[in-house]
Amino acid sequence: MNRAPALPFDLSGIRLQPGQGLARQLYQALRERILDGRLAGGTRLPASRELAALLGISRNTVTRALDQLYAEGYVAGRVGDGTYIAELPRSRPAAATAVTPAAASPALQLLQNHHLAMPAKGAPRAFRIGVPAFDLFPFETWARLQARFWRKPSPARLGYGDPAGDIQLRELIAAYLRSSRGLTCEATQVLITCGSQQAISLCAQLLVQPGARVALENPGYRAAGHAFAVAGAQLCGIAVDGDGLDVAALQRLNDCRLAYVTPAHQYPSGVTLSLQRRLALLEWAKRVNGWIIEDDYDGEYRYSGTPLAPLAALDEQQRVIYIGTFGKLAFPALRLGYLVLPPALAESFARRQALEMRHSEVGTQAVMAEFIAAGHFQRHVRRMRQAARSRRDALLAAWPAAIPGCSPLPTVEAGLHLSIKVESLARERELIAAARAAGIEMNPLSDYWLPGSETAEDARAGLVLGFAAVPEAQIVEAVQTLRRAWKL
């Protein structure tokens, strides 16, 4: 019987580093040589004792490496005849033939144009968008509640749970919305999500048919538009003015039965949907037998009087789907939000949630429930509102009285950001580039418009600034940096 040579490669090519798992390193080195063909199928390996002596390691180390290769099928043993490399199939691409990539599915093609940009890295800086004052979050309290839960969790909560979410948290959310926001709802209507973006995605999956029209504020929250587009929707931008969404324009739109809105604090313009238009929007939904998705992402931040009642609080026809999030009150990494659904939709949404992720992570839900039940959440909301107001005031006081090509600062009565009109797209780009070069974050308003918008490009220009991410002193310092960058 012809046998292959003992080890047809130079042992000096194997470098094992002490203290880093010698058996694992040897396994990886041998596997690599088997896969790339340096150790051909049928090759006989030296005995474990011999290989250990050649490499200067223990025989037990070699045995563990070989056992792993055995388990994965890279080597095989012949009784009384040693260890051999297994015969593995090998593909040999034709030298002159170019490899043609597989055709992308329609869903993958949609993602080419409809996806989220990578978030900004590092700790928040002025004037990052969408970030609350999470430097004020009571992390010690949260850590204590979390430790208490995980110290001895109930076995009943460690298995698969209700896809709608933890019932205690849902009851507390419903009670909070009834008392603080005037929203009449029950726990059975609440579905826990991993933030508002997942809530929007669920709505897109269940309420959008391919080719169906979906009305969006324009300019508006582009991440919502991406979710609807990936579901196959035809995006229809509706203009926004000082009173919010132009409902009259929506009423003229044919074959549309779904609208996504941010009525409390329109994103990104910052305007509030007027009462007259709220009522008209509800009437539109009733007339077309449609749905309104109300994203109340920062509705708790109202600086004159109490927060406005949500659109859903006026809804007598059960046509409004309400989205709330803890990310703008705690911190975005928490990934905890919720939907308040009309009773007719609650069970279907829970079933869809179960197919996608079974249920939201139980520990975070349990801790948030205790956080609310103990009164920590309500105190934190008040503190966050006061801090955001103070940081807004610091920006308004420090901002230059006049910036060439820019409108004055608007009145800011709600939310975590503001928007400033700029005279042209060229001026917008100039200001943004200078700010970013100086280490100041801000977004161009032109990025929030849907592609193909009829509004002239220069009319889309502006600056969008978040004011809640950093303390007042950093805001003042950032404005001084902008003055130098913009040569004011």
Side-chain angles (χ1 to χ4, degrees), residues 102-160:
S105 68
L108 289 175
Q109 293 174 10
L110 282 170
L111 283 171
Q112 295 296 318
N113 296 320
H114 298 285
H115 60 271
L116 303 184
M118 289 297 292
K121 296 181 180 180
R125 296 182 292 169
F127 297 98
R128 185 171 294 182
I129 309 298
V131 178
F134 57 68
D135 54 304
L136 301 180
F137 188 75
F139 289 104
E140 291 185 1
T141 299
W142 185 268
R144 186 173 64 253
L145 296 175
Q146 191 169 51
R148 181 191 304 169
F149 173 79
W150 286 115
R151 191 173 296 120
K152 193 176 182 181
S154 166
R157 303 181 86 167
L158 298 181
Y160 292 109

Side-chain angles (χ1 to χ4, degrees), residues 42-347:
T43 299
R44 184 180 187 276
L45 292 177
S48 59
R49 189 184 305 277
E50 180 184 352
L51 191 53
L54 290 169
L55 293 171
I57 56 179
S58 73
R59 186 181 180 187
N60 285 341
T61 297
V62 172
T63 300
R64 289 198 300 272
L66 293 178
D67 285 346
Q68 186 65 31
L69 293 169
Y70 269 119
E72 297 182 9
Y74 291 105
V75 300
R78 299 177 186 174
V79 178
D81 196 28
T83 302
Y84 288 79
I85 304 301
E87 296 286 354
L88 301 178
R90 302 189 185 280
S91 59
R92 295 183 179 179
T97 304
V99 177
T100 303
S105 68
L108 289 175
Q109 293 174 10
L110 282 170
L111 283 171
Q112 295 296 318
N113 296 320
H114 298 285
H115 60 271
L116 303 184
M118 289 297 292
K121 296 181 180 180
R125 296 182 292 169
F127 297 98
R128 185 171 294 182
I129 309 298
V131 178
F134 57 68
D135 54 304
L136 301 180
F137 188 75
F139 289 104
E140 291 185 1
T141 299
W142 185 268
R144 186 173 64 253
L145 296 175
Q146 191 169 51
R148 181 191 304 169
F149 173 79
W150 286 115
R151 191 173 296 120
K152 193 176 182 181
S154 166
R157 303 181 86 167
L158 298 181
Y160 292 109
D162 188 333
D166 180 83
I167 186 59
Q168 183 183 6
L169 178 58
R170 292 158 60 203
E171 289 173 345
L172 287 164
I173 289 172
Y176 176 76
L177 293 174
R178 288 194 299 267
S179 64
S180 70
R181 306 303 304 279
L183 179 55
T184 303
C185 63
E186 301 297 330
T188 54
Q189 296 174 249
V190 178
L191 184 141
I192 305 301
T193 66
C194 295
S196 59
Q197 189 63 34
Q198 195 221 351
I200 295 168
S201 182
L202 273 173
C203 292
Q205 292 165 20
L206 291 176
L207 302 179
V208 174
Q209 293 292 327
R213 288 184 163 185
V214 174
L216 302 165
E217 298 160 328
N218 196 29
Y221 182 47
R222 292 298 307 281
H226 293 325
F228 292 119
V230 168
Q234 177 186 347
L235 306 183
C236 301
I238 305 298
V240 174
D241 59 22
D243 288 324
L245 181 81
D246 184 353
V247 181
L250 172 62
Q251 293 169 337
R252 294 192 295 268
L253 186 63
N254 296 324
D255 301 322
C256 178
R257 298 179 57 244
L258 181 63
Y260 168 86
V261 294
T262 53
H265 185 238
Q266 200 275 329
Y267 190 89
S269 71
V271 300
T272 298
L273 188 65
S274 67
L275 176 60
Q276 291 79 5
R277 291 194 180 178
R278 289 172 183 243
L279 297 175
L281 183 57
L282 292 170
E283 182 60 30
W284 167 84
K286 178 182 177 181
R287 177 175 61 82
V288 302
N289 194 29
W291 301 104
I292 301 167
I293 300 171
E294 177 183 15
D295 190 345
D296 197 34
Y297 68 101
D298 65 356
E300 292 285 357
Y301 293 96
R302 189 79 188 171
Y303 307 124
S304 55
T306 59
L308 300 178
L311 181 67
L314 302 173
D315 178 27
E316 297 179 351
Q317 303 295 321
Q318 297 294 318
R319 287 288 162 188
V320 177
I321 299 165
Y322 179 87
I323 296 176
T325 179
F326 292 103
K328 296 295 186 286
L329 291 167
F331 48 93
L334 188 66
R335 305 317 305 146
L336 191 63
Y338 54 90
L339 282 159
V340 180
L341 297 153
L345 295 179
E347 185 176 1

Side-chain angles (χ1 to χ4, degrees), residues 451-462:
S453 298
E454 295 181 357
T455 303
E457 285 192 348
D458 283 344
R460 306 177 202 174

